[in-house]
Amino acid sequence: DVKVTQSSRYLVKRTGEKVFLECVQDMDHENMFWYRQDPGLGLRLIYFSYDVKMKEKGDIPEGYSVSREKKERFSLILESASTNQTSMYLCASKGALEGAKNIQYFGAGTRLSVL
Amino acid sequence: RKEVEQDPGPFNVPEGATVAFNCTYSNSASQSFFWYRQDCRKEPKLLMSVYSSGNEDGRFTAQLNRASQYISLLIRDSKLSDSATYLCVVNRHTNKLIFGTGTLLAVQP
C-alpha cells in the first residue's frame, strides 16, 4: 500500500510566521504535489515536483514555495503566513509509470489556521 | 466558468436507491477522467477511472460522453457506507489533475 504521510494534522500559526508543511511518501514516486482545499473551490494545485530539485508552479503558487531535496520528501513553505492561507493542505504522490492512469495518492491533510 | 463543474448536492437517498451524478468539463483537450471519493475530514481516494466505452465496478458505473463533455457516475443499491463526497476529476496533461468541487451524497437508513 502506498503511504503518504503529512507531518501534522492540525497547525495554528500567527500572521507573518514562516510555516513548513512536510510530506513523505514511501513508494519511490517521482511526482509529488501540494494542493489546498477550500469550501466551494475544491482542490487547487499549488506546486508540483517531477523529480528531486525540480518544481513547477500550479494554479495558485503565490505566497508559497516548495523544496524537494530528497525523492521521498516534498515540503511546502509559507514564507510569511497570512489569514487567507487558512485552509486544508493536501499532499499527493504519483509514480512515473502510472502513465495515463494518473492515480494520485493523498496524505491525510494538514488543517492550517493562521490567526 | 469552472473547468470542472458538479452539482454540490446534497443528494439525500434511502438505502437501496439508485443515484446518479453528472459532471461537465470545459476543456475538450482533456485526456483522462476519474471519480474520487472523499469521506468527511479524510483525504480523496480514487474510486474509478472513466473510459470512453463506459466501465463498471460492482455497484458503480461510470460513463464518458466526449461530444457533450460530461461524465457520469451511477451507484446502484446504495449503502450507508456510500455516504461521502464524490469528486469528478479531469486531467489537463500528464501531471495536472483538475478537481470538481464535489457532490455530497447522504444515504439514509
Side-chain angles (χ1 to χ4, degrees), chain B residues 8-40:
Chain B
F11 284 61
N12 295 299
V13 302
E15 269 187 290
T18 296
V19 61
F21 311 134
N22 287 331
C23 161
T24 58
Y25 61 96
S26 60
N27 189 340
S28 59
S30 299
Q31 297 167 351
S32 41
F33 310 88
F34 312 89
W35 285 100
Y36 275 67
R37 171 194 167 127
Q38 186 172 24
D39 293 300
C40 187

PDB file of all heavy atoms in Angstrom, chain B residues 8-40:
ATOM      1  N   PRO B   8     -23.317  20.466  -6.304  1.00  0.00           N
ATOM      2  CA  PRO B   8     -22.783  20.171  -4.957  1.00  0.00           C
ATOM      3  C   PRO B   8     -23.691  19.296  -4.099  1.00  0.00           C
ATOM      4  O   PRO B   8     -23.256  18.735  -3.091  1.00  0.00           O
ATOM      5  CB  PRO B   8     -22.616  21.565  -4.339  1.00  0.00           C
ATOM      6  CG  PRO B   8     -23.589  22.417  -5.084  1.00  0.00           C
ATOM      7  CD  PRO B   8     -23.647  21.871  -6.476  1.00  0.00           C
ATOM      8  N   GLY B   9     -24.998  19.201  -4.487  1.00  0.00           N
ATOM      9  CA  GLY B   9     -25.933  18.423  -3.692  1.00  0.00           C
ATOM     10  C   GLY B   9     -26.371  19.227  -2.473  1.00  0.00           C
ATOM     11  O   GLY B   9     -26.375  20.460  -2.514  1.00  0.00           O
ATOM     12  N   PRO B  10     -26.742  18.587  -1.350  1.00  0.00           N
ATOM     13  CA  PRO B  10     -26.605  17.152  -1.109  1.00  0.00           C
ATOM     14  C   PRO B  10     -27.687  16.329  -1.796  1.00  0.00           C
ATOM     15  O   PRO B  10     -28.791  16.797  -2.003  1.00  0.00           O
ATOM     16  CB  PRO B  10     -26.718  17.047   0.407  1.00  0.00           C
ATOM     17  CG  PRO B  10     -27.579  18.203   0.803  1.00  0.00           C
ATOM     18  CD  PRO B  10     -27.255  19.309  -0.176  1.00  0.00           C
ATOM     19  N   PHE B  11     -27.318  15.126  -2.144  1.00  0.00           N
ATOM     20  CA  PHE B  11     -28.260  14.136  -2.617  1.00  0.00           C
ATOM     21  C   PHE B  11     -28.595  13.250  -1.413  1.00  0.00           C
ATOM     22  O   PHE B  11     -27.729  12.563  -0.894  1.00  0.00           O
ATOM     23  CB  PHE B  11     -27.644  13.273  -3.732  1.00  0.00           C
ATOM     24  CG  PHE B  11     -27.563  13.952  -5.066  1.00  0.00           C
ATOM     25  CD1 PHE B  11     -26.836  15.109  -5.244  1.00  0.00           C
ATOM     26  CD2 PHE B  11     -28.205  13.406  -6.173  1.00  0.00           C
ATOM     27  CE1 PHE B  11     -26.755  15.745  -6.491  1.00  0.00           C
ATOM     28  CE2 PHE B  11     -28.124  14.025  -7.419  1.00  0.00           C
ATOM     29  CZ  PHE B  11     -27.405  15.183  -7.564  1.00  0.00           C
ATOM     30  N   ASN B  12     -29.837  13.331  -0.969  1.00  0.00           N
ATOM     31  CA  ASN B  12     -30.286  12.503   0.149  1.00  0.00           C
ATOM     32  C   ASN B  12     -31.122  11.363  -0.416  1.00  0.00           C
ATOM     33  O   ASN B  12     -32.187  11.607  -0.993  1.00  0.00           O
ATOM     34  CB  ASN B  12     -31.121  13.325   1.137  1.00  0.00           C
ATOM     35  CG  ASN B  12     -30.293  14.408   1.802  1.00  0.00           C
ATOM     36  OD1 ASN B  12     -29.319  14.113   2.482  1.00  0.00           O
ATOM     37  ND2 ASN B  12     -30.671  15.660   1.612  1.00  0.00           N
ATOM     38  N   VAL B  13     -30.637  10.134  -0.268  1.00  0.00           N
ATOM     39  CA  VAL B  13     -31.340   8.994  -0.857  1.00  0.00           C
ATOM     40  C   VAL B  13     -31.491   7.903   0.193  1.00  0.00           C
ATOM     41  O   VAL B  13     -30.662   7.780   1.098  1.00  0.00           O
ATOM     42  CB  VAL B  13     -30.594   8.434  -2.095  1.00  0.00           C
ATOM     43  CG1 VAL B  13     -30.411   9.528  -3.149  1.00  0.00           C
ATOM     44  CG2 VAL B  13     -29.271   7.816  -1.714  1.00  0.00           C
ATOM     45  N   PRO B  14     -32.553   7.067   0.089  1.00  0.00           N
ATOM     46  CA  PRO B  14     -32.697   5.947   1.023  1.00  0.00           C
ATOM     47  C   PRO B  14     -31.782   4.804   0.621  1.00  0.00           C
ATOM     48  O   PRO B  14     -31.378   4.671  -0.547  1.00  0.00           O
ATOM     49  CB  PRO B  14     -34.177   5.567   0.858  1.00  0.00           C
ATOM     50  CG  PRO B  14     -34.522   5.978  -0.530  1.00  0.00           C
ATOM     51  CD  PRO B  14     -33.691   7.180  -0.850  1.00  0.00           C
ATOM     52  N   GLU B  15     -31.468   3.990   1.602  1.00  0.00           N
ATOM     53  CA  GLU B  15     -30.695   2.768   1.316  1.00  0.00           C
ATOM     54  C   GLU B  15     -31.369   1.978   0.208  1.00  0.00           C
ATOM     55  O   GLU B  15     -32.599   1.869   0.169  1.00  0.00           O
ATOM     56  CB  GLU B  15     -30.657   1.873   2.565  1.00  0.00           C
ATOM     57  CG  GLU B  15     -29.495   2.116   3.480  1.00  0.00           C
ATOM     58  CD  GLU B  15     -29.453   1.084   4.596  1.00  0.00           C
ATOM     59  OE1 GLU B  15     -30.336   1.128   5.478  1.00  0.00           O
ATOM     60  OE2 GLU B  15     -28.539   0.249   4.567  1.00  0.00           O
ATOM     61  N   GLY B  16     -30.569   1.422  -0.686  1.00  0.00           N
ATOM     62  CA  GLY B  16     -31.120   0.607  -1.758  1.00  0.00           C
ATOM     63  C   GLY B  16     -31.459   1.384  -3.017  1.00  0.00           C
ATOM     64  O   GLY B  16     -31.715   0.785  -4.065  1.00  0.00           O
ATOM     65  N   ALA B  17     -31.467   2.696  -2.930  1.00  0.00           N
ATOM     66  CA  ALA B  17     -31.818   3.510  -4.096  1.00  0.00           C
ATOM     67  C   ALA B  17     -30.682   3.536  -5.113  1.00  0.00           C
ATOM     68  O   ALA B  17     -29.529   3.223  -4.805  1.00  0.00           O
ATOM     69  CB  ALA B  17     -32.136   4.934  -3.653  1.00  0.00           C
ATOM     70  N   THR B  18     -31.029   3.927  -6.323  1.00  0.00           N
ATOM     71  CA  THR B  18     -30.048   4.186  -7.368  1.00  0.00           C
ATOM     72  C   THR B  18     -29.898   5.695  -7.500  1.00  0.00           C
ATOM     73  O   THR B  18     -30.895   6.419  -7.526  1.00  0.00           O
ATOM     74  CB  THR B  18     -30.504   3.581  -8.703  1.00  0.00           C
ATOM     75  OG1 THR B  18     -30.556   2.164  -8.571  1.00  0.00           O
ATOM     76  CG2 THR B  18     -29.542   3.951  -9.823  1.00  0.00           C
ATOM     77  N   VAL B  19     -28.671   6.152  -7.559  1.00  0.00           N
ATOM     78  CA  VAL B  19     -28.430   7.600  -7.645  1.00  0.00           C
ATOM     79  C   VAL B  19     -27.378   7.846  -8.727  1.00  0.00           C
ATOM     80  O   VAL B  19     -26.487   7.022  -8.934  1.00  0.00           O
ATOM     81  CB  VAL B  19     -27.976   8.157  -6.280  1.00  0.00           C
ATOM     82  CG1 VAL B  19     -26.686   7.534  -5.815  1.00  0.00           C
ATOM     83  CG2 VAL B  19     -27.860   9.669  -6.305  1.00  0.00           C
ATOM     84  N   ALA B  20     -27.526   8.963  -9.419  1.00  0.00           N
ATOM     85  CA  ALA B  20     -26.586   9.302 -10.493  1.00  0.00           C
ATOM     86  C   ALA B  20     -26.089  10.729 -10.327  1.00  0.00           C
ATOM     87  O   ALA B  20     -26.872  11.627  -9.989  1.00  0.00           O
ATOM     88  CB  ALA B  20     -27.251   9.126 -11.852  1.00  0.00           C
ATOM     89  N   PHE B  21     -24.802  10.921 -10.559  1.00  0.00           N
ATOM     90  CA  PHE B  21     -24.203  12.256 -10.550  1.00  0.00           C
ATOM     91  C   PHE B  21     -23.650  12.546 -11.936  1.00  0.00           C
ATOM     92  O   PHE B  21     -23.090  11.657 -12.584  1.00  0.00           O
ATOM     93  CB  PHE B  21     -23.016  12.333  -9.572  1.00  0.00           C
ATOM     94  CG  PHE B  21     -23.284  11.800  -8.214  1.00  0.00           C
ATOM     95  CD1 PHE B  21     -22.368  10.951  -7.609  1.00  0.00           C
ATOM     96  CD2 PHE B  21     -24.428  12.141  -7.519  1.00  0.00           C
ATOM     97  CE1 PHE B  21     -22.583  10.467  -6.343  1.00  0.00           C
ATOM     98  CE2 PHE B  21     -24.660  11.655  -6.246  1.00  0.00           C
ATOM     99  CZ  PHE B  21     -23.732  10.799  -5.659  1.00  0.00           C
ATOM    100  N   ASN B  22     -23.768  13.791 -12.334  1.00  0.00           N
ATOM    101  CA  ASN B  22     -23.148  14.219 -13.585  1.00  0.00           C
ATOM    102  C   ASN B  22     -22.095  15.272 -13.306  1.00  0.00           C
ATOM    103  O   ASN B  22     -22.112  15.932 -12.266  1.00  0.00           O
ATOM    104  CB  ASN B  22     -24.195  14.810 -14.530  1.00  0.00           C
ATOM    105  CG  ASN B  22     -25.079  13.735 -15.127  1.00  0.00           C
ATOM    106  OD1 ASN B  22     -24.660  12.600 -15.292  1.00  0.00           O
ATOM    107  ND2 ASN B  22     -26.317  14.099 -15.420  1.00  0.00           N
ATOM    108  N   CYS B  23     -21.220  15.430 -14.263  1.00  0.00           N
ATOM    109  CA  CYS B  23     -20.133  16.394 -14.159  1.00  0.00           C
ATOM    110  C   CYS B  23     -19.844  16.868 -15.579  1.00  0.00           C
ATOM    111  O   CYS B  23     -19.845  16.051 -16.514  1.00  0.00           O
ATOM    112  CB  CYS B  23     -18.934  15.674 -13.545  1.00  0.00           C
ATOM    113  SG  CYS B  23     -17.355  16.457 -13.801  1.00  0.00           S
ATOM    114  N   THR B  24     -19.609  18.152 -15.750  1.00  0.00           N
ATOM    115  CA  THR B  24     -19.234  18.659 -17.079  1.00  0.00           C
ATOM    116  C   THR B  24     -17.843  19.266 -17.009  1.00  0.00           C
ATOM    117  O   THR B  24     -17.420  19.777 -15.961  1.00  0.00           O
ATOM    118  CB  THR B  24     -20.226  19.722 -17.585  1.00  0.00           C
ATOM    119  OG1 THR B  24     -20.268  20.799 -16.645  1.00  0.00           O
ATOM    120  CG2 THR B  24     -21.607  19.140 -17.764  1.00  0.00           C
ATOM    121  N   TYR B  25     -17.126  19.184 -18.117  1.00  0.00           N
ATOM    122  CA  TYR B  25     -15.789  19.767 -18.183  1.00  0.00           C
ATOM    123  C   TYR B  25     -15.701  20.648 -19.420  1.00  0.00           C
ATOM    124  O   TYR B  25     -16.372  20.399 -20.425  1.00  0.00           O
ATOM    125  CB  TYR B  25     -14.704  18.690 -18.177  1.00  0.00           C
ATOM    126  CG  TYR B  25     -14.758  17.727 -19.338  1.00  0.00           C
ATOM    127  CD1 TYR B  25     -13.968  17.922 -20.467  1.00  0.00           C
ATOM    128  CD2 TYR B  25     -15.581  16.608 -19.293  1.00  0.00           C
ATOM    129  CE1 TYR B  25     -14.008  17.042 -21.529  1.00  0.00           C
ATOM    130  CE2 TYR B  25     -15.637  15.715 -20.345  1.00  0.00           C
ATOM    131  CZ  TYR B  25     -14.847  15.934 -21.463  1.00  0.00           C
ATOM    132  OH  TYR B  25     -14.888  15.065 -22.524  1.00  0.00           O
ATOM    133  N   SER B  26     -14.871  21.681 -19.334  1.00  0.00           N
ATOM    134  CA  SER B  26     -14.870  22.686 -20.403  1.00  0.00           C
ATOM    135  C   SER B  26     -13.735  22.522 -21.403  1.00  0.00           C
ATOM    136  O   SER B  26     -13.827  23.002 -22.534  1.00  0.00           O
ATOM    137  CB  SER B  26     -14.798  24.097 -19.794  1.00  0.00           C
ATOM    138  OG  SER B  26     -13.623  24.241 -19.032  1.00  0.00           O
ATOM    139  N   ASN B  27     -12.664  21.825 -21.010  1.00  0.00           N
ATOM    140  CA  ASN B  27     -11.506  21.713 -21.897  1.00  0.00           C
ATOM    141  C   ASN B  27     -11.620  20.457 -22.761  1.00  0.00           C
ATOM    142  O   ASN B  27     -11.457  19.339 -22.266  1.00  0.00           O
ATOM    143  CB  ASN B  27     -10.222  21.675 -21.065  1.00  0.00           C
ATOM    144  CG  ASN B  27      -8.973  21.776 -21.924  1.00  0.00           C
ATOM    145  OD1 ASN B  27      -9.008  21.517 -23.123  1.00  0.00           O
ATOM    146  ND2 ASN B  27      -7.876  22.178 -21.315  1.00  0.00           N
ATOM    147  N   SER B  28     -11.886  20.646 -24.039  1.00  0.00           N
ATOM    148  CA  SER B  28     -12.092  19.499 -24.928  1.00  0.00           C
ATOM    149  C   SER B  28     -10.815  18.688 -25.138  1.00  0.00           C
ATOM    150  O   SER B  28     -10.866  17.564 -25.623  1.00  0.00           O
ATOM    151  CB  SER B  28     -12.623  19.978 -26.290  1.00  0.00           C
ATOM    152  OG  SER B  28     -11.711  20.885 -26.882  1.00  0.00           O
ATOM    153  N   ALA B  29      -9.660  19.246 -24.746  1.00  0.00           N
ATOM    154  CA  ALA B  29      -8.397  18.520 -24.884  1.00  0.00           C
ATOM    155  C   ALA B  29      -8.119  17.608 -23.697  1.00  0.00           C
ATOM    156  O   ALA B  29      -7.092  16.931 -23.657  1.00  0.00           O
ATOM    157  CB  ALA B  29      -7.249  19.515 -25.048  1.00  0.00           C
ATOM    158  N   SER B  30      -9.010  17.576 -22.730  1.00  0.00           N
ATOM    159  CA  SER B  30      -8.817  16.713 -21.559  1.00  0.00           C
ATOM    160  C   SER B  30      -8.676  15.270 -22.012  1.00  0.00           C
ATOM    161  O   SER B  30      -9.368  14.812 -22.915  1.00  0.00           O
ATOM    162  CB  SER B  30     -10.005  16.845 -20.598  1.00  0.00           C
ATOM    163  OG  SER B  30     -10.122  18.179 -20.146  1.00  0.00           O
ATOM    164  N   GLN B  31      -7.784  14.561 -21.329  1.00  0.00           N
ATOM    165  CA  GLN B  31      -7.396  13.245 -21.828  1.00  0.00           C
ATOM    166  C   GLN B  31      -7.943  12.092 -21.004  1.00  0.00           C
ATOM    167  O   GLN B  31      -8.258  11.042 -21.543  1.00  0.00           O
ATOM    168  CB  GLN B  31      -5.869  13.151 -21.873  1.00  0.00           C
ATOM    169  CG  GLN B  31      -5.241  14.149 -22.820  1.00  0.00           C
ATOM    170  CD  GLN B  31      -3.739  14.245 -22.616  1.00  0.00           C
ATOM    171  OE1 GLN B  31      -3.182  13.695 -21.671  1.00  0.00           O
ATOM    172  NE2 GLN B  31      -3.077  14.957 -23.499  1.00  0.00           N
ATOM    173  N   SER B  32      -7.983  12.259 -19.705  1.00  0.00           N
ATOM    174  CA  SER B  32      -8.462  11.152 -18.887  1.00  0.00           C
ATOM    175  C   SER B  32      -9.302  11.682 -17.738  1.00  0.00           C
ATOM    176  O   SER B  32      -9.207  12.856 -17.368  1.00  0.00           O
ATOM    177  CB  SER B  32      -7.324  10.267 -18.411  1.00  0.00           C
ATOM    178  OG  SER B  32      -6.215  10.995 -18.018  1.00  0.00           O
ATOM    179  N   PHE B  33     -10.122  10.790 -17.202  1.00  0.00           N
ATOM    180  CA  PHE B  33     -11.226  11.191 -16.338  1.00  0.00           C
ATOM    181  C   PHE B  33     -11.368  10.190 -15.198  1.00  0.00           C
ATOM    182  O   PHE B  33     -11.148   8.984 -15.390  1.00  0.00           O
ATOM    183  CB  PHE B  33     -12.528  11.241 -17.158  1.00  0.00           C
ATOM    184  CG  PHE B  33     -12.383  12.029 -18.438  1.00  0.00           C
ATOM    185  CD1 PHE B  33     -11.951  11.411 -19.599  1.00  0.00           C
ATOM    186  CD2 PHE B  33     -12.636  13.395 -18.451  1.00  0.00           C
ATOM    187  CE1 PHE B  33     -11.779  12.137 -20.769  1.00  0.00           C
ATOM    188  CE2 PHE B  33     -12.472  14.125 -19.612  1.00  0.00           C
ATOM    189  CZ  PHE B  33     -12.039  13.503 -20.769  1.00  0.00           C
ATOM    190  N   PHE B  34     -11.737  10.717 -14.045  1.00  0.00           N
ATOM    191  CA  PHE B  34     -11.771   9.873 -12.855  1.00  0.00           C
ATOM    192  C   PHE B  34     -12.890  10.309 -11.933  1.00  0.00           C
ATOM    193  O   PHE B  34     -13.308  11.466 -11.947  1.00  0.00           O
ATOM    194  CB  PHE B  34     -10.444  10.001 -12.082  1.00  0.00           C
ATOM    195  CG  PHE B  34      -9.216   9.864 -12.938  1.00  0.00           C
ATOM    196  CD1 PHE B  34      -8.658  10.977 -13.547  1.00  0.00           C
ATOM    197  CD2 PHE B  34      -8.629   8.638 -13.141  1.00  0.00           C
ATOM    198  CE1 PHE B  34      -7.538  10.861 -14.356  1.00  0.00           C
ATOM    199  CE2 PHE B  34      -7.512   8.510 -13.946  1.00  0.00           C
ATOM    200  CZ  PHE B  34      -6.958   9.623 -14.550  1.00  0.00           C
ATOM    201  N   TRP B  35     -13.302   9.397 -11.076  1.00  0.00           N
ATOM    202  CA  TRP B  35     -14.097   9.743  -9.905  1.00  0.00           C
ATOM    203  C   TRP B  35     -13.268   9.402  -8.673  1.00  0.00           C
ATOM    204  O   TRP B  35     -12.765   8.274  -8.551  1.00  0.00           O
ATOM    205  CB  TRP B  35     -15.417   8.972  -9.882  1.00  0.00           C
ATOM    206  CG  TRP B  35     -16.423   9.488 -10.863  1.00  0.00           C
ATOM    207  CD1 TRP B  35     -16.729   8.981 -12.077  1.00  0.00           C
ATOM    208  CD2 TRP B  35     -17.269  10.635 -10.685  1.00  0.00           C
ATOM    209  NE1 TRP B  35     -17.703   9.732 -12.679  1.00  0.00           N
ATOM    210  CE2 TRP B  35     -18.051  10.754 -11.848  1.00  0.00           C
ATOM    211  CE3 TRP B  35     -17.449  11.577  -9.657  1.00  0.00           C
ATOM    212  CZ2 TRP B  35     -19.001  11.764 -12.022  1.00  0.00           C
ATOM    213  CZ3 TRP B  35     -18.391  12.575  -9.825  1.00  0.00           C
ATOM    214  CH2 TRP B  35     -19.153  12.670 -10.992  1.00  0.00           C
ATOM    215  N   TYR B  36     -13.128  10.369  -7.790  1.00  0.00           N
ATOM    216  CA  TYR B  36     -12.512  10.162  -6.490  1.00  0.00           C
ATOM    217  C   TYR B  36     -13.609  10.269  -5.436  1.00  0.00           C
ATOM    218  O   TYR B  36     -14.598  10.974  -5.621  1.00  0.00           O
ATOM    219  CB  TYR B  36     -11.446  11.229  -6.198  1.00  0.00           C
ATOM    220  CG  TYR B  36     -10.065  10.946  -6.754  1.00  0.00           C
ATOM    221  CD1 TYR B  36      -9.833  10.941  -8.129  1.00  0.00           C
ATOM    222  CD2 TYR B  36      -8.991  10.695  -5.907  1.00  0.00           C
ATOM    223  CE1 TYR B  36      -8.561  10.694  -8.631  1.00  0.00           C
ATOM    224  CE2 TYR B  36      -7.711  10.450  -6.400  1.00  0.00           C
ATOM    225  CZ  TYR B  36      -7.509  10.455  -7.771  1.00  0.00           C
ATOM    226  OH  TYR B  36      -6.245  10.212  -8.266  1.00  0.00           O
ATOM    227  N   ARG B  37     -13.371   9.589  -4.326  1.00  0.00           N
ATOM    228  CA  ARG B  37     -14.303   9.663  -3.207  1.00  0.00           C
ATOM    229  C   ARG B  37     -13.567  10.301  -2.034  1.00  0.00           C
ATOM    230  O   ARG B  37     -12.395   9.991  -1.768  1.00  0.00           O
ATOM    231  CB  ARG B  37     -14.743   8.246  -2.853  1.00  0.00           C
ATOM    232  CG  ARG B  37     -15.538   8.151  -1.589  1.00  0.00           C
ATOM    233  CD  ARG B  37     -15.674   6.732  -1.097  1.00  0.00           C
ATOM    234  NE  ARG B  37     -16.184   6.754   0.259  1.00  0.00           N
ATOM    235  CZ  ARG B  37     -17.239   6.078   0.666  1.00  0.00           C
ATOM    236  NH1 ARG B  37     -17.877   5.282  -0.169  1.00  0.00           N
ATOM    237  NH2 ARG B  37     -17.638   6.157   1.926  1.00  0.00           N
ATOM    238  N   GLN B  38     -14.265  11.191  -1.324  1.00  0.00           N
ATOM    239  CA  GLN B  38     -13.671  11.818  -0.138  1.00  0.00           C
ATOM    240  C   GLN B  38     -14.655  11.730   1.021  1.00  0.00           C
ATOM    241  O   GLN B  38     -15.742  12.311   0.966  1.00  0.00           O
ATOM    242  CB  GLN B  38     -13.292  13.276  -0.414  1.00  0.00           C
ATOM    243  CG  GLN B  38     -12.544  13.925   0.739  1.00  0.00           C
ATOM    244  CD  GLN B  38     -11.991  15.304   0.403  1.00  0.00           C
ATOM    245  OE1 GLN B  38     -12.498  15.981  -0.492  1.00  0.00           O
ATOM    246  NE2 GLN B  38     -10.944  15.732   1.092  1.00  0.00           N
ATOM    247  N   ASP B  39     -14.269  11.001   2.052  1.00  0.00           N
ATOM    248  CA  ASP B  39     -15.080  10.945   3.265  1.00  0.00           C
ATOM    249  C   ASP B  39     -14.829  12.188   4.092  1.00  0.00           C
ATOM    250  O   ASP B  39     -13.789  12.854   3.935  1.00  0.00           O
ATOM    251  CB  ASP B  39     -14.737   9.686   4.068  1.00  0.00           C
ATOM    252  CG  ASP B  39     -15.162   8.427   3.340  1.00  0.00           C
ATOM    253  OD1 ASP B  39     -16.363   8.294   3.072  1.00  0.00           O
ATOM    254  OD2 ASP B  39     -14.300   7.604   3.012  1.00  0.00           O
ATOM    255  N   CYS B  40     -15.775  12.481   4.992  1.00  0.00           N
ATOM    256  CA  CYS B  40     -15.686  13.701   5.786  1.00  0.00           C
ATOM    257  C   CYS B  40     -14.355  13.760   6.540  1.00  0.00           C
ATOM    258  O   CYS B  40     -13.981  12.821   7.248  1.00  0.00           O
ATOM    259  CB  CYS B  40     -16.863  13.743   6.760  1.00  0.00           C
ATOM    260  SG  CYS B  40     -17.001  15.279   7.655  1.00  0.00           S
TER     261      CYS B  40
END
